[in-house]
Amino acid sequence: MAAAGDGNVPAEGETQLPGATLSRVGKSFGAVALFNGFDLSVGDGEFVVLVGPSGCGKSTLLRLIAGLDRPDSGEIHIGERRVDGLPPGERGVAMVFQSYALYPQMTVAQNIAFPLRMAGRPKRELDESVRRTCELLGLADLMGRRPAELSGGQRQRVAIGRAIVREPDLFLFDEPLSNLDANLRAQMRREFAELHARLPATTIYVTHDQAESMALADRIVLMRDGRIEQQGTPEDLYYRPATLFAAEFFGQPPINPLAGRIVRADPQQTEIAIDGGERIVLGPLIGPAPARDDVVMAIRPEALMARPDRGTVALSPRAVEFVEWFGGERHVRLRTGDTALVWRTTGDRPIAAGERIGLHVAPEKVHLFDSEGRAVPHAALPNL
């Protein structure tokens, strides 16, 4: 990212990296309005990941920025230029798609060189740009091979190289790793992170994979039904979810939602009665109490512990339904009555189905949401 001595002002000798801004963008498909006054700003050199369920509008946003679709209203700027009226080739954008879309008859070098050849670049300049790009992406020894002779990860690197060689103002990536197997996706995530560190270009990256977004993003934009649900650093969305939807979207195993109601809220404590009878005491609410007493108390699986610690609150003992073992950790599903939860533990003692275990949690690691799914902040318990 652009390191600057004053805000986004580049240091002496440093190149300004254009950002992107979408203002009041509207887009409909027939009678269905996907975006209605959508706003998004991406900073110079920032790596922003758009994440969310299928159909939320992630890929459509990329297509609007790239010029492959036209907005019905609003403005799109890249740097200081308004581009929503420009054809794709004049926007200074390079887009990498889910499919590699390489020319099978061309070598790696020829595929990467193709956009420069189409732009009429001199051969000497073209050859030097291709060489530098191949070295950057670890493709220098593969320049003479054709796509059929490459692995999936190598083909995706060629597609990325074809974007890099154009030296665009803005990179757009539309689920570029979704065609790869799990191990190769993990490897390519690391390569993307390393590439961004070496080539700090402004990037908008679309994925439906929450782990991918957490690993890569400077800022995550979580989308839902054509709007922004929450945005912030990966740590913000994981540890400080603004809605139950955000809390449930991130984390593996998912967060445990326990339905309940507020039975007491005073300046010292908040008492929650969970469906099934148990009661949990949290710190005082920050701000006014919700209009309705119905709430959801959500706890991440790794926040649960088998032994009490200073200031933790106890949950009623629950019976173990099943245990998934992953070598370094176990995912234990427990139930009491109609309520079930998953506990993620690194403990090495055997855990058997049917065993009853009482778990504990620190109050500050409990997330509270109102009946509309909005976060209800609460403070730490006094005198802990």
Side-chain angles (χ1 to χ4, degrees), residues 137-346:
L137 294 171
L139 296 170
D141 294 335
L142 305 175
M143 292 173 64
R145 295 191 185 181
R146 288 181 169 78
E149 303 172 274
L150 304 177
S151 69
Q154 289 167 339
R155 292 178 199 175
Q156 193 57 279
R157 270 187 263 160
V158 176
I160 293 167
R162 196 165 52 189
I164 288 174
V165 78
R166 294 172 52 193
E167 299 181 355
D169 294 329
L170 180 65
F171 285 103
L172 305 176
F173 292 95
D174 191 6
E175 303 205 44
L177 308 186
S178 60
N179 284 340
L180 307 179
D181 63 42
N183 288 337
L184 199 47
R185 278 203 307 271
Q187 176 188 331
M188 288 299 295
R189 281 201 303 266
R190 292 191 295 271
E191 292 188 9
F192 261 108
E194 292 168 359
L195 179 62
H196 182 61
R198 287 178 286 166
L199 188 75
T202 306
T203 301
I204 304 176
Y205 185 107
V206 159
T207 182
H208 64 275
D209 186 324
Q210 50 113 336
E212 211 169 287
S213 67
M214 288 282 187
L216 291 173
D218 296 329
R219 175 163 52 103
I220 293 174
V221 177
L222 174 61
M223 295 181 61
R224 181 185 186 189
D225 298 331
R227 59 181 176 79
I228 295 175
E229 182 81 2
Q230 185 178 353
Q231 59 180 312
T233 65
E235 291 82 2
D236 284 336
L237 273 77
Y238 192 80
Y239 293 114
R240 293 172 288 278
T243 65
L244 181 59
F245 177 85
E248 291 180 324
F249 192 88
F250 295 100
Q252 193 56 240
I255 201 166
N256 295 294
L258 302 173
R261 68 187 188 282
I262 298 175
V263 295
R264 179 166 57 91
D266 60 39
Q268 297 298 313
Q269 295 178 340
T270 305
E271 188 174 0
I272 311 295
I274 299 173
D275 290 359
E278 60 191 305
R279 297 201 172 194
I280 303 297
V281 176
L282 307 176
L285 299 181
I286 299 174
R292 295 177 56 186
D293 292 335
D294 295 336
V295 292
V296 172
M297 192 181 81
I299 306 171
R300 295 217 177 269
E302 68 273 17
L304 294 163
M305 59 188 77
R307 294 185 177 88
D309 201 354
R310 183 174 181 270
T312 58
V313 295
L315 302 177
S316 298
R318 285 166 162 79
V320 174
E321 288 192 322
F322 62 84
V323 180
E324 294 179 287
W325 186 64
F326 295 96
E329 64 183 35
R330 287 177 171 85
H331 297 174
V332 184
R333 182 178 175 86
L334 307 100
R335 176 179 294 276
T336 181
D338 293 331
T339 65
L341 54 78
V342 176
W343 167 38
R344 191 172 86 186
T345 175
T346 57

